[in-house]
Amino acid sequence: MPQTSIREVAKRAGVSVGTVSNVLNRPDLVAEATRDRVRAAIEELGFVRNESARRLRRGPERTAGEFGDQPRRAFGVVVEDLTNPYATDVARGAEAALNASGHDALWLSSDYSAAKERRSLELLEEQRAAGVLIIPVDLSARDISGLRTAGMSVVLIDRHTPDVCSAQVDHVAGGEIAAAHLLGIGRERIAFVTGVPEPEPCVERRDGASRTITEAGSAKPATLIQDAMSPTEGQAAAHQLLELSPRPDGVFCANDLLAIGLINELTRLGIRVPEDIAVIGYDDIELAASAAVPLTTIRQPRRELGWEAAELAMAELGEGKSHQHRQVVLRPELVIRESA
Amino acid sequence: MPQTSIREVAKRAGVSVGTVSNVLNRPDLVAEATRDRVRAAIEELGFVRNESARRLRRGPERTAGEFGDQPRRAFGVVVEDLTNPYATDVARGAEAALNASGHDALWLSSDYSAAKERRSLELLEEQRAAGVLIIPVDLSARDISGLRTAGMSVVLIDRHTPDVCSAQVDHVAGGEIAAAHLLGIGRERIAFVTGVPEPEPCVERRDGASRTITEAGSAKPATLIQDAMSPTEGQAAAHQLLELSPRPDGVFCANDLLAIGLINELTRLGIRVPEDIAVIGYDDIELAASAAVPLTTIRQPRRELGWEAAELAMAELGEGKSHQHRQVVLRPELVIRESA
DNA sequence: AGCGTAGCTTGAAACGATTCACGATCTTCG
DNA sequence: CGAAGATCGTGAATCGTTTCAAGCTACGCT
């Protein structure tokens, strides 16, 4: 007895399969007595509708917005690293938007691997998810158009190409703001700390910062490249930093985790932050405010970013053919605390 | 034209549908020339197999371990909070084990809400996932048996009941170890900091610690309950702590995030850690080692925990009827750094 | 030539739900 | 009393895939 099907429920309740289906999908079409009988049968048999069959029959989800109940759909949220608070915040924003509209979010992580990324997309495609929100690691146009022909909406986060919807933060501006702040508090020898693989947005931050700095007439910033963007690597960066000559008096870290590790180690080595070296992070994760030296940082509107991305995805789904790809760009914001 | 189906591919390649299916599933049965022709047709048409139909036909996945290619399946990993490094580490451990066996992980978050938790389970059930690994918020036996009859394997993480597989850490022991350490370094007035909603495991840690302390003849520890288990709340706890009289000289925090926030705030208020107040955390998250005051803590083998859970789930799936529920219990470990 | 075999291919029968054109009853009202 | 609606139910057709018994060739062997 492989599975309880609608047919057995029908037999048990003494009705036809069509009626059971109606109880499931349009209960108002069924007389109360019958409905109860069917429900009881469902209960007793522990019946669960086979979503595969349902979807097979239904085909590409109807244009939504029909009368009555919304078609609850699943969207995939693919991020590079579920351990990174930045990524999880973005994803939570997306999930919130999705939930608010009665949809669901499935999280997948690509772990910075193009292969895992591709596999995740495949999985979503096989499951016939409604759409994907993705912080891409290495997405080709081909992958995307594949998804598209499978009828899924695709939204890029933190990256963009003309023929897909995307939501991103203006990282160049973020870099500029950070550099301008460092310059503004009188720092002249600025270093940049980042990690490999260096995500596109970090490159942009770096470019923005670099330009601002050289345009202001200061020396091109030294760049310290670590193995990852974690606090541990930030610690390591502290030592490298002190070996630089001339020793920098301002540091711009590609993310807060690096900054926190860096500051902690610097403090332990007797260097005062911000007096000796000012440090500015990027992201404004929760920990930034309650760090030993509260971190000055660039806040990304991450929840909003995820939220916007989800809105785009849902819109794309609703609009069908007439859809015009949109690119949302949010602006980051300087949060001044104590580290710079 | 709703979707490219196997039939159109067949027509285009001039073969029967059965052959196309074979190319997809058992390529070795098909002559090379035909195979190439079919593959070309697939390519040209941008065909993607409709997973719903496939699954509908296949029915409950065969007992795996068949000849040839493994049936790649998706497992759901439901955690309470994807923002919590503890949870994500466990989930990553699970994902690693799953991937190692050629399966996939879908992450869902319940956000501490029983409703979302239930919804997540429903979703997984509808998608006919192979199994669920869950850190439960509020799971009734009924929910579980529902999942079970739907043919999914269920593994509880960090909680247990006799009739389900589970993997957990011995939290009582963890509490005992922490308390014993605090006692061992001469602390006498110990406080416990936790947050609501207080997960079962935290209660166990507290119990273990309490017992050890009272059995050693010290006063029952004061308990500070915060609104959450975050660094921000740890900060708040610092102030409450100082108002206690007698002022504690040792604190056991329910997790590292609380401990880090607490220590940072204490330091800012001029209290020395560990000299004035020793603080011990729980979890050993990455940040613990690189915190301003490197944190002494109880390490949970989180990756292993997730890994074991995944192994259990996969085993359950493979064993079918003959399955015996197993409960894996891992032992936590004291990591001495500087905060206590 | 006759026969067995191996290697490919075929095509119809599932899988389990949804849909929809039709009946079957029951009301209501002229 | 009879006809026109309402209101409910029915059950066959259908979605796209996999499965599998059966058919077809070509080949080797006696």
Side-chain angles (χ1 to χ4, degrees):
Chain A
M1 168 189 355
Q3 229 193 67
T4 348
S5 86
I6 212 180
R7 223 174 304 274
E8 308 173 44
V9 174
K11 190 192 290 178
R12 175 123 185 177
V15 298
S16 77
V17 293
T19 300
V20 177
S21 176
N22 281 337
V23 170
L24 256 24
N25 303 299
R26 288 115 91 199
D28 45 303
L29 289 189
V30 181
E32 189 169 334
T34 323
R35 204 191 309 152
D36 290 346
R37 206 141 34 86
V38 172
R39 292 225 166 106
I42 289 181
E43 186 74 9
E44 290 162 27
L45 265 35
F47 164 81
V48 186
R49 92 126 92 59
N50 182 327
E51 195 65 12
S52 300
R54 186 232 247 283
R55 282 211 292 232
L56 170 56
R57 178 58 239 239
R58 280 221 163 162
E61 210 71 22
R62 13 219 104 287
T63 34
E66 288 271 352
F67 190 77
D69 60 329
Q70 358 92 311
R72 186 155 215 161
R73 304 279 264 124
F75 286 76
V77 181
V78 183
V79 304
E80 347 96 40
D81 178 5
L82 243 359
T83 285
N84 179 340
Y86 169 74
T88 50
D89 273 347
V90 172
R92 282 165 69 101
E95 181 169 36
L98 256 13
N99 287 346
S101 302
H103 298 294
D104 295 299
L106 294 171
W107 307 40
L108 289 288
S109 96
S110 62
D111 285 327
Y112 299 102
S113 135
K116 268 201 79 178
E117 176 174 88
R118 208 159 327 116
R119 174 60 203 151
S120 301
L121 260 19
E122 242 178 73
L123 179 70
L124 257 8
E125 202 170 331
E126 287 167 0
Q127 306 275 349
R128 293 292 192 265
V132 202
L133 315 181
I134 179 169
I135 304 186
V137 171
D138 177 27
L139 211 52
S140 72
R142 216 173 152 312
D143 292 325
I144 296 178
S145 73
L147 254 24
R148 188 63 59 51
T149 64
M152 303 170 64
S153 58
V154 182
V155 177
L156 259 36
I157 298 178
D158 261 349
R159 214 128 327 169
H160 72 279
T161 31
D163 42 32
V164 190
C165 277
S166 65
Q168 59 182 330
V169 172
D170 186 344
H171 296 290
V172 175
E176 290 169 359
I177 295 172
H181 178 68
L182 250 16
L183 257 17
I185 58 174
R187 303 307 160 133
E188 301 182 324
R189 297 175 306 284
I190 298 177
F192 191 81
V193 179
T194 186
V196 286
E198 189 175 28
E200 181 66 20
C202 292
V203 177
E204 292 173 7
R205 291 167 204 175
R206 188 143 58 82
D207 289 348
S210 264
R211 209 183 44 230
T212 306
I213 291 168
T214 49
E215 277 177 5
S218 291
K220 187 162 177 300
T223 300
L224 265 31
I225 301 182
Q226 306 301 313
D227 289 340
M229 311 217 329
S230 65
T232 319
E233 291 298 321
Q235 255 177 300
H239 296 276
Q240 295 176 26
L241 197 65
L242 298 182
E243 282 167 13
L244 253 35
S245 91
R247 185 202 277 185
D249 56 3
V251 183
F252 175 25
C253 293
N255 77 3
D256 283 351
L257 256 15
L258 277 171
I260 290 175
L262 177 73
I263 294 179
N264 285 342
E265 189 66 9
L266 247 23
T267 308
R268 194 162 321 127
L269 296 172
I271 311 286
R272 290 167 308 157
V273 175
E275 295 80 355
D276 302 328
I277 301 185
V279 179
I280 186 166
Y282 204 104
D283 283 348
D284 193 28
I285 60 176
E286 186 184 6
L287 227 38
S290 50
V293 180
L295 193 64
T296 292
T297 188
I298 306 293
R299 169 182 306 154
Q300 305 209 53
R302 343 189 246 299
R303 305 289 277 246
E304 292 85 335
L305 187 61
W307 185 286
E308 291 293 341
E311 292 284 1
L312 286 174
M314 295 188 288
E316 178 165 355
L317 209 65
E319 294 168 12
K321 272 283 175 199
S322 71
H323 177 74
Q324 292 283 354
H325 295 301
R326 262 160 288 171
Q327 339 273 134
V328 173
V329 178
L330 302 177
R331 209 183 150 71
E333 171 194 4
L334 176 65
V335 179
I336 302 179
R337 296 211 179 82
E338 296 174 20
S339 70
Chain B
M1 168 191 355
Q3 231 192 66
T4 350
S5 86
I6 213 180
R7 222 173 307 271
E8 309 173 43
V9 174
K11 191 191 292 178
R12 174 125 186 174
V15 298
S16 77
V17 294
T19 301
V20 177
S21 175
N22 280 338
V23 170
L24 256 23
N25 304 300
R26 288 116 91 198
D28 45 301
L29 288 190
V30 181
E32 190 170 334
T34 321
R35 204 191 307 151
D36 290 346
R37 207 142 32 88
V38 172
R39 291 223 167 108
I42 290 181
E43 187 74 10
E44 290 163 29
L45 265 36
F47 164 82
V48 186
R49 100 132 73 65
N50 182 326
E51 194 65 10
S52 301
R54 188 234 247 283
R55 284 211 292 232
L56 169 56
R57 177 58 239 234
R58 280 220 163 161
E61 210 70 22
R62 18 217 100 289
T63 33
E66 288 273 349
F67 189 76
D69 60 331
Q70 357 93 311
R72 186 156 214 160
R73 304 278 267 126
F75 287 76
V77 181
V78 184
V79 304
E80 347 96 40
D81 178 5
L82 243 359
T83 285
N84 178 342
Y86 169 74
T88 50
D89 273 347
V90 172
R92 282 165 68 101
E95 182 170 34
L98 255 13
N99 287 345
S101 303
H103 298 293
D104 295 299
L106 293 171
W107 306 40
L108 289 289
S109 96
S110 62
D111 285 327
Y112 300 104
S113 134
K116 270 201 77 178
E117 176 172 271
R118 210 160 323 117
R119 174 61 204 152
S120 301
L121 261 18
E122 244 177 71
L123 180 70
L124 257 9
E125 201 169 333
E126 288 168 1
Q127 307 275 348
R128 294 293 193 265
V132 201
L133 315 180
I134 180 170
I135 305 185
V137 171
D138 178 27
L139 211 54
S140 70
R142 216 172 153 310
D143 292 325
I144 296 177
S145 73
L147 255 23
R148 188 61 60 51
T149 64
M152 303 168 64
S153 59
V154 182
V155 177
L156 259 35
I157 298 177
D158 260 351
R159 212 124 332 166
H160 72 277
T161 32
D163 40 31
V164 189
C165 276
S166 65
Q168 58 182 331
V169 172
D170 187 343
H171 296 288
V172 175
E176 290 168 0
I177 296 171
H181 178 67
L182 250 16
L183 257 17
I185 58 174
R187 303 309 159 130
E188 302 183 322
R189 296 175 307 282
I190 298 176
F192 191 82
V193 179
T194 186
V196 285
E198 189 175 29
E200 181 68 20
C202 293
V203 177
E204 291 173 9
R205 291 167 204 176
R206 188 143 59 82
D207 289 348
S210 266
R211 209 182 44 231
T212 307
I213 292 168
T214 50
E215 278 176 5
S218 292
K220 188 161 174 299
T223 300
L224 265 29
I225 301 181
Q226 307 301 314
D227 289 339
M229 311 217 330
S230 65
T232 318
E233 290 297 322
Q235 256 177 298
H239 295 276
Q240 295 176 27
L241 197 65
L242 299 182
E243 282 167 13
L244 252 35
S245 89
R247 185 202 278 183
D249 55 3
V251 182
F252 175 25
C253 293
N255 78 1
D256 283 352
L257 256 16
L258 277 171
I260 289 175
L262 177 73
I263 294 178
N264 286 341
E265 189 66 10
L266 247 22
T267 310
R268 195 162 319 126
L269 296 172
I271 311 288
R272 291 167 307 159
V273 175
E275 296 80 355
D276 301 327
I277 302 186
V279 178
I280 186 166
Y282 204 103
D283 281 348
D284 193 28
I285 60 177
E286 186 185 5
L287 225 38
S290 52
V293 179
L295 194 64
T296 292
T297 186
I298 305 295
R299 169 181 306 154
Q300 305 208 51
R302 345 188 244 298
R303 305 288 279 245
E304 293 85 335
L305 187 60
W307 185 287
E308 291 292 343
E311 292 286 0
L312 286 174
M314 295 187 289
E316 177 164 356
L317 208 64
E319 295 169 10
K321 271 284 177 204
S322 70
H323 176 73
Q324 291 283 354
H325 295 300
R326 263 161 287 170
Q327 339 273 133
V328 173
V329 178
L330 303 177
R331 207 179 151 75
E333 171 193 3
L334 176 65
V335 179
I336 301 179
R337 296 210 180 82
E338 297 174 20
S339 69

